[in-house]
Amino acid sequence: MSYKKNEDLDSGPGGAVMDKMTVFQDCIAGFNASPIQPRKCRVLLTKLTYLLSTGDTFARDESTRLFFSITKLFQHKDIALRQMVYLVIKELATSADDVIMVTSSIMKDTTVGSDVVYRPNAIRTLARIIDASTIQAIERLIKTAIVDKHPIVSSAALISSYHLLPVSREVVRRWANETQDTVLAQKPFPQAAYGGTASGLGIGPAGPASSFMTQYHALGLLYQLRSHDRMALIKMIQQLANAGSAMKSPAAIVMLIRFVARAIDEDRNMRRPLYTLLEGWLKHKSDMVNFEAAKTILEMRDSTDAEASPAINVLQLFLSSPRFVSRFAAIRILNRFAMIRPQNVNVCNIDIEALINDPNRSIATYAITTLLKTGNEASVDRLMKQITGFMNDISDEFKIIVVDAIRSLCLKFPSKQASMLSFLSGVLRDEGGYEFKRAVIEAMFDLIKFVPDSKEEALSYLCEFIEDCEFTKLAVRILHLLGEEGPSTAHPTKYIRYIYNRVVLENAIVRAAAVTALSKFSLIDDASVQESVKVLLTRCLDDPDDEVRDRAAMALRLSATEKPIAKEYLAPESVPSLGALEQQLILYVTGGPDAASVAFDISSVPFISKDQAVADQFRAKTMATLPILGGTAIDSGSGAGSGGVSPSKTPALGEDYAQKYAASLAKIPELQAFGALIRSSRPVPLTESETEYVITGIKHLYKEHLVLQFDVQNTLPDTVLEDVSVIANPSTADDGTEPYVEEFIIAIPRLTQESTGTIYVAFTRPSGEEHAYTGGVFSNTLRFTSKEIDPNTGEPEEEGYEDEYQVEDIEIGVADFLVPTYVGNFQHMWDQLSFETSETYSLAGVGSLSEACSSVIDSLSMQPLEGSETPLQNATHVLKLFARTLQGGKVVALVRMAYSAKTGVTLKISVRAEDERVAQMVVGGIA
């Protein structure tokens, strides 16, 4: 066991200041004294334990002297002293030498005939001093202790087995039968057995109730012993679940439920039978078992409404429980589930509203935030008034939870931005720490970026905040935002005063940020504003800080140049992709001396437009609201009746693949003449994963070209492939011509066994406006020369044979011509575009509105807006989408859906675009 040094603890037991060397010398003298004084030795051992627990360490020779001095106390039979001896020996065993010499003394207390108090202490200590060479000597002893009738002895042996697993796993695995017997053995802690003074426990009539904790310890060890065999684990789960009343320990059943959750996640074929077990545990008499079963069901991937309903019903009953902890656990689980499936939690809204006035403010906070996720637009104002009432009564941690929920609500109901902005500005004036203020600022930033109607009012609130802001980081961020958004407002001059106040009153860091923000106002097409900004920047040239002076000088120099040049430096249209920049910097820093010998090349980082950067931020914030299970975001499933969207089915919400591949494609000389990469598709498998050649295909679209990327893996042992290429034949148009003309193929010269290579096939896209969005199907054939490896020399044979391998086709469709892009105001964009086309479709095979949304987004590759990707009702829904074409044209789609259990989903899609052909293409993309 390791401890962290606590510098604040200067006194030991009783308040006396303890010196390490004084305690050390007292221990040496006291333990070697004759006769042994039990009371004095117990006090010395207590001081020694205190020093070890607060982070003090002894040198190895000191630890060894202490260790062997303590072993002399085995001569005395005092029970309390013996327990303290074992406690300290266990702590010193890792830092002392020759600890194995005390094994015989400890083993005397592990025998069946010894006092029951000694045995568990002795067994736990024995496990700490044993090593791999001597573990077999105690194998029989541990096996006997595991099945001992006394639960404290059995638990001590099981816990010691945990610690012995890293020492000798093979030996511990031989104890599996005894461990399984202990799992089913009912060993309570009977009060009568330990109530007498002869046992030395001194528990008496008020001892612990029957907890059957031995089952919990045994089940954990049994899982570790069988973790390498999935079928054995499934068999163990089924046997223990069918044991019924034999499993008495609620903690053991909770652990078993977690094993079930892991088994379901790893093997989808076991989902149905194991779900039946989870549903049965919802009716268990223990609350903790009910909560764990409900939590596991709601966190299952692709859970349907029918599967989630029993768990929600059980949690709904606990919402009215008289116990605080039960209400808290129930509302916390429902709160997490409401992040991804709010419509399923609507049935609990009445019970949740009753918790708003709960005396436990933590419960009230979760109730409010859950209602913010499950409520409708009409209930927002009422909820905002209720939230204001108790914000001063909760800690900053729960205030942040409330603010994050309101931030999500801002994106969900943009029309309610006024009331939410008023609330945020109010809490911004309240007392609070940095993290709380940062959460409020982030929420207001999101309103400004994603709800344009709130921009000017939100900026005014932020200007007032920085007047008294005590946090430098927040002030810098707000000034940066004012520089970005202020010049584009209707009255930009009112923000100049707030910014210049920071130059006069703040520290150097804030002054530098204010100068940069101020310089961006010089780009406004107003001579008086430009002259005012120039005067203010000139005053900054006398600043005592060199960074402030340099920024002011650069801004003045740029303001004297032509506007396009100044704009390129002060307010560039494109910015580096932060994800790609981070990746390139990590490679540069970790690349060793060779990488550091040359300067970092910023040209290797792809640049994206500001609209695309905002879209990336919106996706990140959308995905960040999903709860986490096992380190990954939980998707709510796409099966029948499911209420969420699976990330794997929503590329518009997923990774921007163009950013991922742009850097690698730019390094290929043949592709550099094609210009900037506009769009890349996600990798699509073109063969089964078990075949001898595993191939995935990726489509890269440029302004006038198409590049097909084929990643080929050679899984054949003792075989080398040479001259590996793919013959991609595009389909012919209706007039018999081939719209896509092949330009060149970049083949793989040599592909060794168990290696992966990349093939590129480049095509010229159809020219002319009438053919700009012409799709097609490419039939693909892998062509190569196969050579076997000589087992004697390890080199491939000189003679080989040519071979071909047919793979799946690649289709160029509607989604490949559209780039998902975020815009803040859907209605404004809809009113701007003139060409409109509509069509009605019936999706008979779709089982829910969520699945229909996922399918439409996947088919069209458009960005969902205003939170419309998640339906709030089961019967009707409106999906709002936006994208840009490869040429930069705008496309907006409005999809109205209706769901019926008999007919499935019926939808009407209306599309508006700058080009009528684009509108027709998008409408036909769902067919």
Side-chain angles (χ1 to χ4, degrees):
M1 185 181 298
S2 61
Y3 301 97
K4 181 180 179 181
K5 174 69 175 176
N6 192 335
E7 302 292 347
D8 297 332
L9 296 177
D10 295 327
S11 60
V17 177
M18 290 193 301
D19 177 69
K20 183 176 72 170
M21 291 313 299
T22 303
V23 173
F24 173 77
Q25 293 170 358
D26 291 345
C27 288
I28 296 298
F31 299 156
N32 288 289
S34 181
I36 296 173
Q37 302 178 35
R39 183 179 181 84
K40 179 180 178 181
C41 291
R42 286 202 302 270
V43 172
L44 291 172
L45 289 170
T46 302
K47 292 181 178 180
L48 192 58
T49 305
Y50 173 80
L51 287 175
L52 293 172
S53 66
T54 54
D56 276 305
T57 58
F58 292 92
R60 199 157 192 86
D61 58 336
E62 294 173 348
S63 296
T64 304
R65 286 188 64 190
L66 279 172
F67 184 87
F68 285 102
S69 297
I70 292 170
T71 58
K72 296 181 180 180
L73 301 180
F74 279 109
Q75 300 172 18
H76 203 281
K77 298 298 182 182
D78 185 84
I79 294 173
L81 177 62
R82 185 66 60 89
Q83 288 180 304
M84 284 299 300
V85 166
Y86 280 125
L87 182 63
V88 178
I89 285 180
K90 190 170 62 173
E91 297 301 323
L92 290 174
T94 57
S95 59
D97 295 323
D98 301 324
V99 295
I100 200 71
M101 295 175 63
V102 79
T103 304
S104 59
S105 298
I106 298 176
M107 290 186 68
K108 290 179 181 178
D109 290 338
T110 62
T111 58
V112 178
S114 63
D115 196 309
V116 70
V117 170
Y118 288 178
R119 292 188 66 198
N121 295 103
I123 291 169
R124 284 192 289 266
T125 306
L126 189 63
R128 293 301 180 92
I129 67 172
I130 214 74
D131 57 23
S133 61
T134 56
I135 189 173
Q136 294 185 358
I138 67 167
E139 181 177 359
R140 183 175 179 182
L141 184 151
I142 298 293
K143 291 172 70 174
T144 304
I146 289 175
V147 295
D148 195 273
K149 63 180 180 180
H150 295 294
I152 54 175
V153 175
S154 182
S155 287
L158 291 165
I159 294 171
S160 299
S161 301
Y162 275 108
H163 295 292
L164 291 172
L165 272 172
V167 178
S168 181
R169 188 176 187 86
E170 291 302 319
V171 174
V172 178
R173 285 178 60 182
R174 296 202 289 262
W175 309 341
N177 292 335
E178 289 77 9
T179 304
Q180 184 161 0
D181 293 341
T182 307
V183 173
L184 299 176
Q186 300 177 12
K187 297 180 183 179
F189 283 81
Q191 298 171 9
Y194 305 113
T197 57
S199 67
L201 290 176
I203 294 176
S210 299
S211 62
F212 303 96
M213 282 301 291
T214 308
Q215 291 185 336
Y216 172 75
H217 296 142
L219 180 59
L221 178 60
L222 191 62
Y223 177 81
Q224 293 293 330
L225 297 179
R226 296 184 175 178
S227 58
H228 64 287
D229 188 347
R230 186 171 59 85
M231 294 308 299
L233 284 176
I234 297 296
K235 184 178 179 181
M236 179 193 76
I237 291 171
Q238 292 175 336
Q239 286 178 343
L240 296 178
N242 295 330
S245 59
M247 293 289 289
K248 295 287 187 181
S249 169
I253 299 177
V254 167
M255 182 181 287
L256 188 61
I257 292 173
R258 292 177 180 176
F259 297 160
V260 169
R262 191 171 302 175
I264 292 175
D265 191 53
E266 293 174 354
D267 186 359
R268 306 300 291 272
N269 295 327
M270 297 301 301
R271 178 191 179 94
R272 188 66 248 173
L274 293 181
Y275 171 79
T276 305
L277 300 179
L278 294 173
E279 197 171 15
W281 280 316
L282 289 173
K283 304 172 185 176
H284 196 274
K285 61 181 180 180
S286 171
D287 290 358
M288 62 189 296
V289 175
N290 300 151
F291 285 129
E292 189 65 28
K295 175 172 164 287
T296 301
I297 290 174
L298 297 182
E299 289 182 347
M300 284 196 315
R301 298 182 183 276
D302 302 334
S303 61
T304 63
D305 291 347
E307 290 173 336
S309 180
I312 293 175
N313 292 337
V314 169
L315 294 174
Q316 187 174 7
L317 295 175
F318 280 113
L319 292 176
S320 55
S321 170
R323 300 174 62 213
F324 282 125
V325 66
S326 296
R327 298 200 301 275
F328 179 82
I331 190 62
R332 187 170 183 269
I333 295 172
L334 288 173
N335 180 273
R336 285 171 58 86
F337 190 61
M339 293 181 183
I340 50 175
R341 304 268 288 277
Q343 71 279 7
N344 292 85
V345 188
N346 284 341
V347 296
C348 305
N349 277 2
I350 295 177
D351 299 279
I352 295 174
E353 286 190 23
L355 297 179
I356 294 177
N357 299 317
D358 194 281
N360 187 308
R361 306 317 290 168
S362 301
I363 296 175
T365 302
Y366 273 119
I368 282 288
T369 54
T370 305
L371 288 172
L372 289 174
K373 297 179 181 72
T374 61
N376 52 34
E377 195 168 0
S379 64
V380 170
D381 294 331
R382 176 171 54 84
L383 289 173
M384 299 303 293
K385 292 179 182 178
Q386 291 176 306
I387 293 173
T388 307
F390 73 91
M391 281 295 285
N392 294 328
D393 301 331
I394 60 178
S395 64
D396 279 6
E397 181 182 0
F398 284 102
K399 287 180 181 178
I400 292 172
I401 294 175
V402 173
V403 171
D404 285 342
I406 292 174
R407 179 180 63 81
S408 302
L409 203 67
C410 294
L411 306 181
K412 185 177 178 182
F413 301 124
S415 61
K416 293 295 182 180
Q417 50 87 13
S419 59
M420 288 183 279
L421 191 57
S422 175
F423 169 80
L424 291 173
S425 65
V427 298
L428 196 58
R429 302 187 194 101
D430 296 340
E431 295 294 327
Y434 170 76
E435 290 298 331
F436 168 58
K437 296 291 186 180
R438 186 186 64 81
V440 179
I441 295 298
E442 290 284 354
M444 297 183 79
F445 280 12
D446 286 352
L447 272 171
I448 293 170
K449 289 180 181 178
F450 308 128
V451 186
D453 292 341
S454 65
K455 179 189 291 188
E456 297 214 16
E457 188 177 1
L459 288 176
S460 299
Y461 288 135
L462 292 175
C463 287
E464 294 174 7
F465 173 70
I466 59 173
E467 291 291 323
D468 301 314
C469 180
E470 58 183 313
F471 304 108
T472 299
K473 288 184 179 180
L474 296 182
V476 169
R477 293 200 61 192
I478 293 172
L479 287 170
H480 174 75
L481 183 73
L482 289 174
E484 291 287 327
E485 303 292 342
S488 61
T489 58
H491 305 285
T493 53
K494 71 177 182 179
Y495 303 110
I496 296 178
R497 175 174 62 87
Y498 291 102
I499 295 174
Y500 187 70
N501 283 345
R502 300 305 97 210
V503 176
V504 177
L505 303 173
E506 289 287 356
N507 57 52
I509 297 175
V510 178
R511 294 202 306 271
V515 168
T516 301
L518 198 60
S519 64
K520 297 181 180 181
F521 284 81
S522 63
L523 299 176
I524 298 175
D525 291 328
D526 189 323
S528 61
V529 174
Q530 292 177 1
E531 188 62 29
S532 299
V533 172
K534 185 177 180 180
V535 171
L536 297 177
L537 290 174
T538 304
R539 293 178 184 175
C540 296
L541 294 176
D542 298 327
D543 194 275
D545 186 77
D546 57 348
E547 175 72 18
V548 178
R549 295 195 304 270
D550 291 346
R551 293 193 183 195
M554 181 179 178
L556 287 170
R557 180 76 176 90
L558 288 172
S559 63
T561 62
E562 295 182 2
K563 187 175 180 180
I565 298 177
K567 190 173 183 180
E568 182 180 352
Y569 284 94
L570 296 176
E573 292 295 331
S574 60
V575 294
S577 169
L578 292 181
L581 177 61
E582 181 184 18
Q583 182 183 18
Q584 292 293 329
L585 287 173
I586 291 174
L587 293 175
Y588 181 75
V589 172
T590 59
D594 294 338
S597 61
V598 295
F600 179 76
D601 185 12
I602 190 65
S603 62
S604 63
V605 180
F607 279 67
I608 58 177
S609 65
K610 287 190 175 181
D611 287 343
Q612 191 174 354
V614 172
D616 291 342
Q617 293 176 19
F618 181 76
R619 297 171 196 166
K621 292 180 183 296
T622 303
M623 298 304 294
T625 60
L626 298 180
I628 301 299
L629 174 64
T632 56
I634 302 174
D635 62 274
S636 55
S638 56
S642 67
V645 179
S646 172
S648 63
K649 290 185 175 293
T650 56
L653 296 177
E655 181 181 5
D656 190 337
Y657 292 100
Q659 296 181 30
K660 180 178 179 180
Y661 295 109
S664 59
L665 292 174
K667 296 178 181 178
I668 301 174
E670 293 87 345
L671 303 181
Q672 292 176 356
F674 292 174
L677 177 65
I678 300 176
R679 174 175 170 76
S680 295
S681 69
R682 71 158 66 98
V684 177
L686 303 180
T687 61
E688 298 292 336
S689 58
E690 297 83 9
T691 57
E692 56 267 33
Y693 312 113
V694 180
I695 305 175
T696 56
I698 305 165
K699 296 170 283 187
H700 305 293
L701 284 99
Y702 296 81
K703 186 175 182 180
E704 298 177 355
H705 295 84
L706 166 69
V707 176
L708 300 181
Q709 174 180 332
F710 299 91
D711 294 332
V712 184
Q713 181 183 7
N714 176 20
T715 63
L716 289 177
D718 304 327
T719 303
V720 172
L721 307 182
E722 294 183 353
D723 299 327
V724 186
S725 62
V726 172
I727 306 303
N729 294 315
S731 58
T732 58
D734 295 337
D735 57 1
T737 62
E738 292 186 356
Y740 289 87
V741 180
E742 182 181 307
E743 287 204 0
F744 56 82
I745 300 176
I746 303 177
I748 304 173
R750 182 186 178 94
L751 192 62
T752 58
Q753 56 183 344
E754 300 300 333
S755 64
T756 302
T758 302
I759 302 169
Y760 297 97
V761 185
F763 295 87
T764 300
R765 290 179 52 213
S767 59
E769 294 184 0
E770 66 278 8
H771 301 299
Y773 305 105
T774 301
V777 178
F778 292 80
S779 59
N780 307 303
T781 304
L782 182 68
R783 183 174 295 174
F784 53 87
T785 300
S786 179
K787 294 183 179 181
E788 294 185 358
I789 296 178
D790 190 333
N792 296 323
T793 63
E795 295 294 330
E797 298 177 351
E798 293 184 3
E799 297 295 331
Y801 62 93
E802 295 185 356
D803 198 0
E804 292 184 352
Y805 189 82
Q806 190 71 32
V807 299
E808 294 291 333
D809 296 344
I810 292 180
E811 182 178 358
I812 305 296
V814 175
D816 297 305
F817 299 112
L818 300 177
V819 180
T821 308
Y822 178 82
V823 291
N825 193 324
F826 175 85
Q827 190 61 45
H828 176 69
M829 192 59 63
W830 178 267
D831 295 338
Q832 274 188 345
L833 303 176
S834 55
F835 295 106
E836 181 176 348
T837 306
S838 302
E839 190 61 72
T840 303
Y841 295 96
S842 178
L843 309 179
V846 177
S848 69
L849 293 178
S850 296
E851 191 175 351
C853 288
S854 176
S855 177
V856 171
I857 296 171
D858 190 17
S859 300
L860 301 182
S861 184
M862 298 180 71
Q863 175 70 42
L865 302 177
E866 301 179 4
S868 62
E869 68 274 14
T870 303
L872 301 179
Q873 300 178 0
N874 295 326
T876 59
H877 180 62
V878 178
L879 177 64
K880 302 175 181 179
L881 304 170
F882 181 78
R884 289 185 181 272
T885 64
L886 298 182
Q887 284 72 28
K890 301 173 184 178
V891 188
V892 61
L894 189 68
V895 186
R896 294 180 174 86
M897 306 179 183
Y899 173 74
S900 170
K902 294 182 179 180
T903 61
V905 175
T906 302
L907 62 85
K908 179 182 180 181
I909 178 172
S910 301
V911 178
R912 287 189 179 184
E914 296 174 341
D915 188 333
E916 186 175 5
R917 288 186 295 271
V918 173
Q920 294 174 349
M921 175 191 71
V922 174
V923 166
I926 297 180

